[in-house]
Amino acid sequence: MTGWTVERAAEELLRAEEARADRGRLTDEWPELDLATAYRVQDEALRRRLARGERLVGVKLGLTSRAKQRRMGIDSPLTAWLTDAMALPAGAAVPQGRLIHPRVEPEIVFVLGERLAGPGVSAARALAAVEHVCAGAEVIDSRFRDFSFALPDVVADNASSAAFVLGATRLPPGGLDLAAEAVTVEGDGAVVHTGTGADVQGHPAEALALAANSLAGRGLAIEPGQVVLTGGLTDAVFAPPGARVTLRFANLGSIELDGGVTA
């Protein structure tokens, strides 16, 4: 008997986030932690966030690339929650004062115009529920030391959620070739990564459909007006104090994030 519970795990992870104190893996201390229980931890942490006044604004996906899935031994992305406390205004700096070891990754973002509920949602059906598409920059920040975790750890930790920024360009999905939508990631002016929408499940709408179908297994849906971050188009880039990360999309505009100052 380890003494671990869903409630204790949620409390530990939220405490680590608030204290900016990374920790070892939960699975090292709680070997029985499985994927289903990890999602219960994630939901309990969300319940606590909402109780302290945060508002649910959307869903994010993690591990959307095939290569990352193979490394983690899974065949589908992870889902996690976004709240208004994670949203950053355009032009904001990375909030170093509340993060441990932030990284930034480019995302194609959907904002839903109608409710999307699985099971059985196809990519075409998912895209039909989208009101508009925009660029996104997600700031991830694992509560686990050195970003080292097993699959249940990262699910319990809300897929390393921290913050996100939405681009100013908002376009309807019709007429956009989102699989071909290219992005260049620059760190301090030098290109460090490139990718396209095809790097997210072959097409970002496939990731959106998978999110809806995955949530359906927990009796949940994606609601109108909610934001969906479909997953990183490239590997994440570290964003230490003083750094500058620029994401340049082919059709969705650019987002620039200042690394901010030393916390």
Side-chain angles (χ1 to χ4, degrees):
M1 181 68 177
T2 64
W4 281 96
T5 63
V6 165
E7 291 75 18
R8 179 185 171 192
E11 182 178 350
E12 286 280 341
L13 290 170
L14 288 173
R15 182 184 295 124
E17 178 182 326
E18 291 162 11
R20 298 178 59 226
D22 55 5
R23 67 178 327 279
R25 299 180 180 199
L26 285 178
T27 49
D28 288 344
E29 303 170 48
W30 188 12
E32 299 84 4
L33 179 63
D34 59 16
L35 198 57
T37 306
Y39 272 114
R40 289 171 57 207
V41 174
Q42 186 189 106
D43 290 345
E44 172 62 18
L46 174 65
R47 187 192 68 76
R48 293 173 183 231
R49 290 180 188 277
L50 299 181
R52 69 191 188 193
E54 295 181 41
R55 181 171 55 86
L56 180 64
V57 297
V59 177
K60 59 164 282 185
L61 290 104
L63 300 179
T64 47
S65 81
R66 307 293 190 189
K68 289 180 181 177
Q69 288 170 19
R70 285 194 294 270
R71 285 201 296 271
M72 296 298 290
I74 61 172
D75 58 7
S76 182
L78 313 178
T79 58
W81 302 114
L82 299 173
T83 73
D84 61 338
M86 301 172 191
L88 297 176
V94 174
Q96 300 286 349
R98 62 181 175 89
L99 303 178
I100 302 167
H101 38 199
R103 304 180 183 186
V104 176
E105 55 187 26
E107 310 249 350
I108 290 175
V109 181
F110 294 126
V111 177
L112 274 287
E114 59 184 72
R115 192 170 193 263
L116 188 61
V121 173
S122 65
R125 168 69 188 92
L127 204 57
V130 171
E131 179 180 271
H132 63 257
V133 186
C134 63
E138 185 183 9
V139 181
I140 57 174
D141 189 39
S142 176
R143 268 54 69 174
F144 299 111
R145 197 161 298 125
D146 300 322
F147 270 82
S148 174
F149 42 72
L151 186 60
D153 294 305
V154 69
V155 169
D157 192 33
N158 203 47
S160 305
S161 64
F164 66 93
V165 180
L166 301 184
T169 300
R170 311 290 168 94
L171 300 174
L176 287 174
D177 185 349
L178 291 175
E181 180 68 18
V183 67
T184 300
V185 180
E186 298 175 6
D188 295 326
V191 174
V192 291
H193 297 302
T194 61
T196 69
D199 292 312
V200 177
Q201 292 295 122
H203 192 291
E206 294 284 359
L208 178 59
L210 280 164
N213 292 329
S214 174
L215 289 170
R218 294 150 68 189
L220 303 169
I222 307 172
E223 302 296 339
Q226 288 189 337
V227 170
V228 180
L229 275 59
T230 56
L233 278 67
T234 72
D235 282 340
V237 59
F238 278 107
R244 185 172 295 277
V245 178
T246 305
L247 312 178
R248 301 188 191 280
F249 288 79
N251 299 288
L252 298 175
S254 297
I255 298 175
E256 188 169 273
L257 269 174
D258 189 300
V261 297
T262 303

